[in-house]
Amino acid sequence: MSDAATIGQVVDAHRALAAAGAGDLVWGHMAIRDPAGRGVWTKAAGWGMEDLCPERVVLVSFDGAVIAGDGERHLEVFIHTELMRRRPEVRASVHTHGEAAVAFASLEEPLRPISHAATPFLEPGRDVPRFERTGNLIRTPELGAALAARIGSGAGCLIPAHGLVTAGADAAHAVLNAVLLERACSTQLAALAAGGPRRWSSEAEAAAKKAEIWSAEGVRAAYGHLVRRADATIPRPAAGAPARPDTKEIPA
C-alpha cells in the first residue's frame, strides 16, 4: 500500500470518529501501522478529528520521532507504537476521551452485555480491562508498554480518569471498537441511573452476538456508514491546508 493510500485511511478514520461524536477539541487520535514497518501514521497535534486532511497526518517512528509530515506528534503517540510493537496482528488503534467511558470507569462496575455494543470486549469470566497505573498522559514508551500489556489480546480497555483505547486488525475494527465501547458504557450508565441493570445476555449469548453481529462484514458495513456520514456532514479542508495550527496547542 502506498503512503498516500495509508494517509487517506488515517484521514477517513479520524473523520469517522468525529462523525460518531468521539472528538474532544484537539485531543484524541487514531493510528495505522506503516505497511513498510517504519512506525505509525497518525493525526498531527493541534487539530480536531474533523480538521484532518492529508497535510495534517504524520509518520512517527516506534521511537517517537516524526519522520514524515510537517506537523508535531501527539505526546501520547506511545499508546499506539507500543501496542503495535507488542501485537503484530494489530494494524490500527484508537484513543479517545469519551465522556461515558470516563464516567463508567470511575464507578468500578463490571461491564455487562446488556447491549450488542458491549460484546466485543467481554470474554467468558473476563471484564473489559482497566489500566489503573495512571490517569495522566501516556507519554513514555514504558507507560505505553504497560498499557499494551493490560489490554493483552483484547479489543480495548478503559483508562479511569482519562478515556479508552481500542485495537483492531484494520481501521474499521479499531474505530468501531472505540465507538462501541463508548456506547456500551453509555447504555450501562443509563441502566445504573434507572436502578439496574437486572438482566443481561448470558456468556453464550454474548459470544454468539459478538460473532454474528460484529463479524468482519458487519464491522466494515458499520464503519462504511460512519465514513459516509462524515462525508455528508463534515466539510473537508481545502487543498493545500496548513499542516500546523495558528496557535500553539498542548499536543496530548
Side-chain angles (χ1 to χ4, degrees):
M1 181 184 298
S2 69
D3 288 355
T6 304
I7 290 169
Q9 290 186 355
V10 174
V11 171
D12 282 347
H14 280 91
R15 286 169 53 81
L17 285 164
D24 176 22
L25 301 176
V26 299
W27 296 285
H29 28 80
M30 71 84 59
I32 294 178
R33 183 191 295 272
D34 176 52
R38 295 170 291 178
V40 301
W41 292 92
T42 187
K43 177 169 75 69
W47 300 106
M49 292 180 176
E50 67 279 5
D51 295 326
L52 215 61
C53 59
E55 293 83 358
R56 296 166 184 169
V57 175
V58 292
L59 174 60
V60 183
S61 73
F62 285 103
D63 295 327
V66 176
I67 55 178
D70 294 327
E72 296 183 40
R73 69 163 172 85
H74 282 273
L75 295 177
E76 293 191 298
V77 72
F78 297 112
I79 289 173
H80 309 291
T81 56
E82 294 303 316
L83 179 60
M84 293 190 210
R85 193 197 299 270
R86 186 181 184 91
R87 290 178 60 182
E89 83 283 5
V90 170
R91 310 298 299 178
S93 52
V94 172
H95 170 51
T96 70
H97 302 146
E99 292 182 5
V102 173
F104 180 74
S106 75
L107 301 178
E108 298 188 347
E109 289 277 339
L111 186 67
R112 303 291 191 186
I114 63 175
S115 67
H116 298 337
T119 58
F121 308 96
L122 304 177
E123 302 293 338
R126 183 173 183 262
D127 189 13
V128 62
R130 271 80 163 173
F131 181 68
E132 298 177 333
R133 181 165 169 176
T134 182
N136 206 337
L137 301 181
I138 311 299
R139 60 187 300 166
T140 66
E142 189 253 342
L143 280 173
L147 172 61
R150 187 70 186 95
I151 296 172
S153 62
C157 77
L158 298 172
I159 310 176
H162 189 158
L164 62 83
V165 174
T166 58
D170 54 26
H173 282 79
V175 167
L176 203 66
N177 281 340
V179 172
L180 292 177
L181 185 51
E182 172 71 4
R183 185 175 295 179
C185 291
S186 179
T187 300
Q188 190 158 338
L189 285 172
L192 288 164
R198 297 189 179 90
R199 63 180 299 165
W200 47 82
S201 290
S202 66
E203 287 186 352
E205 183 175 80
K209 290 167 73 173
K210 176 181 176 180
E212 294 167 10
I213 299 169
W214 306 122
S215 65
E217 295 79 8
V219 167
R220 292 191 180 99
Y223 178 68
H225 166 76
L226 289 175
V227 172
R228 292 191 301 274
R229 186 196 298 178
D231 286 342
T233 60
I234 303 173
R236 289 182 181 266
R244 294 172 179 266
D246 292 335
T247 56
K248 180 68 174 178
E249 303 287 354
I250 300 173

